[in-house]
Amino acid sequence: MSEDKGVTDNDAAIPAQSKSAAPTKAALNKDAAPGEVLLKVSGLQKHFPIRSGVLKRQTGSVKAVDGIDFDVRSGETLGVVGESGCGKSTMGRLITRLLEPTGGTVEFEGRDITHLGVRGMRPMRRDVQMIFQDPYSSLNPRHTVGGIISAPFKLQGVNPEGGIKKEVQRLLSVVGLNPEHYNRYPHEFSGGQRQRIGIARALALNPKLVVADEPVSALDVSIQAQVVNLLDDLQQELGLTYVIIAHDLSVIRHVSDRIAVMYLGKIVELADRKSLYAAPMHPYTKALMSAVPVPDPKRRGMKSERILLKGDVPSPISPPSGCRFHTRCWKATEVCKTQEPVLVELKPGQRVACHHPENAPDQAPGEAVLPEARESVEIVTIGETATAQEPAASDAAEEPAAAEASDASDASSEAAGAEGETGPDDTAQESTDK
């Protein structure tokens, strides 16, 4: 991935605002020292009801997020990765309170914000912001760039020093855009430039926590590197804390300090970047890592194993009992079918929810592997002596990496369609409410 950071203006900084504005970087570090827990999530759930019949009675629910626990420390970047439909985007909207949780708690700086209403959340919007996935639908086409970025100031009653227009133009410069484009409309910009506008809007009030929902998935690869480097520069300059949701494992590895792996509404592994990529513990994580291509010409022709998971991801309407991954796991035993594993720390800084983890002692020794488990996976050796064994296009569609790489599939399957798509007006309103 390119490390070119020339698109940003490292000398440009957000000027000090009036006392009614958000705190500066020094104040941020004073309020939340690096390493302190900024966000804490406990037992978070989101079930979307399924209604049918004339009376629209509830006949079931889509368990998009079904009990997850994690925390985010001040100044760090937590990456969230998983297949399409595993609940990543829903989780991001829950912790920013754009969706009402079904259960669990969300604490920000020690304050419970789980069930705060619009009025209660309005002051919190300065500190918690979100960058949306689609740069084409997250900006209102009827508003100019200046109007879009200045909306948070007007909603929060903030009057920056020098005026709102000057501040907006400085923000445009910070994210690598021309300040003279203040009066242009979103349709006059490319996808990468629109995403930069969304980033500028999210940073307008100097937030403490930024949730980025696949910020580069809709962009070209060359532009992805620029936007990722921009986020990295802004974090160092402004002392930001990130929760970045992505399906690209290489992007997650580049930007994250810790990584959470999600599968079917659950976190199956949570570890620091180095430990996760060096020795993944959960079988699902190992399957994901095996599908990551290594862009190293020196390794061309070298043998490597790829784990192909057979079958489809179970429906979030009726997830499997016990471990939700046991229907596609090659190590599944009877205890996996009946008992749900708990997310426990097996190594310092590495937590996993698995009865039979990789690179760690077996938590349920003596269990016999189920007969169907041996048929749930296929090991393919790729290399100069096994090129003919590479999976065909139909088989490649079954591997997790292929499912993660499809933006269209991710958009349509997230929460099994229960969330629905937001149009330009809705998303703009949703963003400006923050």
Side-chain angles (χ1 to χ4, degrees):
M1 179 177 293
S2 172
E3 294 293 330
D4 181 17
K5 301 187 180 183
V7 296
T8 61
D9 186 359
N10 293 329
D11 297 328
I14 297 177
Q17 299 175 351
S18 65
K19 62 181 181 180
S20 60
T24 61
K25 178 182 178 182
L28 288 178
N29 293 337
K30 182 178 179 181
D31 292 343
E36 291 185 359
V37 176
L38 185 67
L39 176 73
K40 184 177 181 180
V41 174
S42 303
L44 189 62
Q45 295 180 339
K46 181 59 180 179
H47 297 173
F48 294 96
I50 299 175
R51 304 184 185 278
S52 60
V54 178
L55 300 178
K56 299 297 180 181
R57 293 177 178 174
Q58 183 174 343
T59 58
S61 61
V62 177
K63 300 177 177 61
V65 176
D66 198 20
I68 59 175
D69 303 90
F70 66 92
D71 57 53
V72 183
R73 304 183 184 97
S74 177
E76 79 165 347
T77 299
L78 175 69
V80 183
V81 67
E83 288 184 80
S84 301
C86 70
K88 305 185 301 295
S89 295
T90 303
M91 181 271 294
R93 292 171 180 264
L94 288 173
I95 62 179
T96 53
R97 291 294 289 107
L98 296 179
L99 288 176
E100 181 72 17
T102 304
T105 59
V106 179
E107 297 180 9
F108 182 76
E109 293 187 317
R111 180 186 178 187
D112 189 350
I113 64 172
T114 311
H115 299 293
L116 287 182
V118 176
R119 179 176 298 180
M121 278 300 300
R122 187 172 293 275
M124 303 291 295
R125 293 300 181 195
R126 294 188 183 186
D127 298 328
V128 182
Q129 286 288 314
M130 187 167 186
I131 301 172
F132 295 93
Q133 175 179 357
D134 187 1
Y136 294 92
S137 65
S138 61
L139 304 178
N140 193 327
R142 298 182 180 89
H143 293 175
T144 63
V145 170
I148 291 172
I149 301 178
S150 63
F153 296 109
K154 298 177 181 178
L155 289 172
Q156 294 287 342
V158 174
N159 295 312
E161 182 179 351
I164 292 179
K165 181 176 181 180
K166 182 178 179 181
E167 175 70 1
V168 171
Q169 290 179 328
R170 180 60 66 92
L171 284 168
L172 289 172
S173 177
V174 166
V175 298
L177 294 177
N178 192 336
E180 298 178 358
H181 295 165
Y182 179 88
N183 291 318
R184 289 192 177 185
Y185 287 87
H187 74 269
E188 300 179 66
F189 295 88
S190 65
Q193 290 174 325
R194 295 188 197 192
Q195 193 63 290
R196 292 172 188 270
I197 296 170
I199 294 173
R201 177 178 58 188
L203 299 177
L205 298 175
N206 286 348
K208 298 178 182 178
L209 174 67
V210 176
V211 179
D213 182 11
E214 305 205 22
V216 298
S217 64
L219 310 179
D220 292 339
V221 175
S222 60
I223 305 300
Q224 287 182 8
Q226 297 175 3
V227 173
V228 166
N229 289 329
L230 170 64
L231 293 173
D232 188 45
D233 291 343
L234 292 173
Q235 182 178 39
Q236 297 179 16
E237 180 180 346
L238 303 176
L240 299 173
T241 303
Y242 287 140
V243 175
I244 296 184
I245 300 166
H247 60 252
D248 191 331
L249 293 169
S250 60
V251 170
I252 286 292
R253 184 174 188 174
H254 180 77
V255 302
S256 302
D257 299 309
R258 291 189 301 146
I259 301 173
V261 182
M262 288 190 67
Y263 181 81
L264 210 61
K266 293 278 190 178
I267 292 180
V268 297
E269 188 166 359
L270 178 61
D272 61 89
R273 174 183 57 189
K274 183 177 180 181
S275 300
L276 189 77
Y277 280 82
M281 286 189 177
H282 199 280
Y284 176 64
T285 309
K286 184 177 180 179
L288 288 180
M289 298 302 175
S290 73
V292 178
V294 180
D296 187 356
K298 297 179 181 179
R299 299 188 60 181
R300 180 177 299 174
M302 295 181 63
K303 292 184 180 180
S304 61
E305 289 187 348
R306 176 171 295 180
I307 302 174
L308 301 182
L309 301 180
K310 297 182 179 180
D312 298 325
V313 181
S315 171
I317 299 176
S318 56
S321 60
C323 177
R324 300 192 172 188
F325 186 61
H326 83 264
T327 57
R328 307 173 72 195
C329 181
W330 62 93
K331 303 179 71 174
T333 61
E334 191 64 32
V335 68
C336 300
K337 295 177 61 176
T338 58
Q339 183 178 343
E340 182 177 348
V342 181
L343 191 67
V344 295
E345 187 171 3
L346 298 184
K347 290 182 180 179
Q350 192 164 7
R351 302 164 62 191
V352 63
C354 183
H355 296 298
H356 310 289
E358 302 279 339
N359 304 306
D362 199 324
Q363 302 300 297
E367 291 283 331
V369 178
L370 298 174
E372 57 269 24
R374 303 182 186 278
E375 302 176 359
S376 63
V377 67
E378 179 182 356
I379 308 296
V380 177
T381 302
I382 300 177
E384 57 182 358
T385 61
T387 306
Q389 298 183 30
E390 290 192 26
S394 59
D395 293 331
E398 297 176 0
E399 64 181 282
E404 294 176 26
S406 173
D407 296 333
S409 176
D410 192 270
S412 61
S413 63
E414 187 65 57
E419 282 187 69
E421 293 291 334
T422 55
D425 294 338
D426 295 337
T427 312
Q429 182 63 36
E430 179 181 66
S431 305
T432 54
D433 283 345
K434 300 187 292 177

